[in-house]
Amino acid sequence: MKNSTHITVLGAGVSGLTTAIVLAEHGFKVDIITKDLPKQTTSAVAAAIWFPYQAYPVNKVNTWSRTSFLRFKHLAKNKDSGVSFIPFTAYLDTQQKPWWLDALPAEYILNDNVQHPIHPEYRGYTLNVPLIETPFYLDYLLNRFKESGGELIQQEVGSVQELEAYFPMVNCTGLGSKYLFNDEKLYPVQGQVVRVAANQEIRGMATEYELGDQEMAYIIPRTDGIILGGSAKKHESSTKADPSLTERIITYCSKFEPAVLELPVLDVKVGLRPGRPQIRLEKDPHLPIIHNYGHGGAGYTVSWGCAEEVMKLF
């Protein structure tokens, strides 16, 4: 075991990198041990946008999401971060106020009564929210971590026993915790996305409800193309793209933005979100480890809030 000012973070997705940065910038000596480099992780498949999705408990997720929002607001001033703000419409299938709205500062709600283009009885909200362009942002985080004196070690870990020399530790392994720490509450949530060519006329949007079997529509415009989604198939662990789902995703999105039908497909990716009834952010009852995983579809959205919560636990 190392001394208490030297901490190891396990995992180099957005949660691991962000946690490592917060700890390092508070004066800790931090190493990251990871099987996959940041651009090989599930975080690299994400679209990604600030939007609390499939993450619980609601009260904590709102708090962590708001903390992250304020961090992203600051990061958007840095052109190298990959963070910017875009208008984004969330379509609901209810007249009730969505729970995640409490996490958003009121001045970033641009319209709270958007008519649904297909179902006039449904309403939507147009928001001004952070867009996190993952190819740039993950590089930004890795560079910031290294500039803080951190070291990244690429190494696969097969058991908890192998980790004892690296305690104290923060576990940010996502789905890896199912096997490494025998967490039976974790399950994969398969997400497939399609990247098409950029078009500045197409606006960002998402449906909060399903259009097919655990399938929905979302459109996220980025500088390297437009991300179309998607799916959230629980307990599905394949990372092989489904061509028929690709066609359905394009069809779903075209109902909101018909122009996507004319855009060439650049690539299709599949990632596995770490689903869990609740995010696990707590001290391990038996080991000198703080767990930070199970963020569902909100890994980026809660990343800074969860990292600061880890810091408080230390």
Side-chain angles (χ1 to χ4, degrees), residues 43-236:
S43 296
V45 180
I49 200 159
W50 182 97
F51 193 70
Y53 177 68
Q54 287 191 343
Y56 309 95
V58 165
N59 59 335
K60 290 185 177 181
V61 168
N62 270 346
T63 298
W64 294 329
S65 298
R66 192 175 182 96
T67 297
S68 297
F69 184 95
L70 297 175
R71 285 277 199 155
F72 288 131
K73 181 181 176 183
H74 179 72
L75 286 169
K77 299 174 184 177
N78 180 346
K79 62 180 177 61
D80 296 324
S81 70
V83 179
S84 59
F85 274 72
I86 65 167
F88 183 79
T89 300
Y91 291 107
L92 315 178
D93 61 352
T94 174
Q95 295 298 320
Q96 294 181 338
K97 177 184 172 183
W99 60 266
W100 44 260
L101 209 59
D102 290 336
L104 190 68
E107 62 268 28
Y108 290 88
I109 302 170
L110 304 180
N111 188 337
D112 63 0
N113 193 24
V114 180
Q115 188 172 41
H116 196 291
I118 304 166
H119 302 288
E121 70 275 20
Y122 294 171
R123 73 189 286 199
Y125 290 82
T126 298
L127 319 168
N128 189 24
V129 294
L131 166 70
I132 304 103
E133 301 207 41
T134 55
F136 308 110
Y137 186 65
L138 290 173
D139 279 345
Y140 166 80
L141 290 182
L142 182 58
N143 290 334
R144 181 167 164 179
F145 168 65
K146 290 180 176 179
E147 288 169 1
S148 299
E151 181 180 358
L152 187 145
I153 303 162
Q154 194 169 9
Q155 173 186 328
E156 186 169 1
V157 176
S159 69
V160 176
Q161 287 69 34
E162 296 176 35
L163 299 173
E164 291 180 1
Y166 302 105
F167 292 158
M169 175 174 286
V170 185
N171 169 36
C172 299
T173 56
L175 274 178
S177 298
K178 183 176 181 67
Y179 310 101
L180 202 54
F181 295 94
N182 300 312
D183 188 339
E184 295 301 321
K185 295 180 180 178
L186 263 178
Y187 55 88
V189 181
Q190 184 203 63
Q192 181 166 316
V193 295
V194 182
R195 184 167 66 97
V196 298
N199 181 323
Q200 294 184 346
E201 302 301 315
I202 290 177
R203 299 157 296 176
M205 55 73 58
T207 60
E208 272 236 308
Y209 53 89
E210 295 180 3
L211 293 165
D213 179 22
Q214 300 178 89
E215 298 167 10
M216 63 293 297
Y218 58 84
I219 300 173
I220 300 180
R222 304 195 317 198
T223 55
D224 64 343
I226 300 169
I227 305 299
L228 308 180
S231 60
K233 297 184 180 291
K234 296 179 180 179
H235 305 286
E236 176 58 64

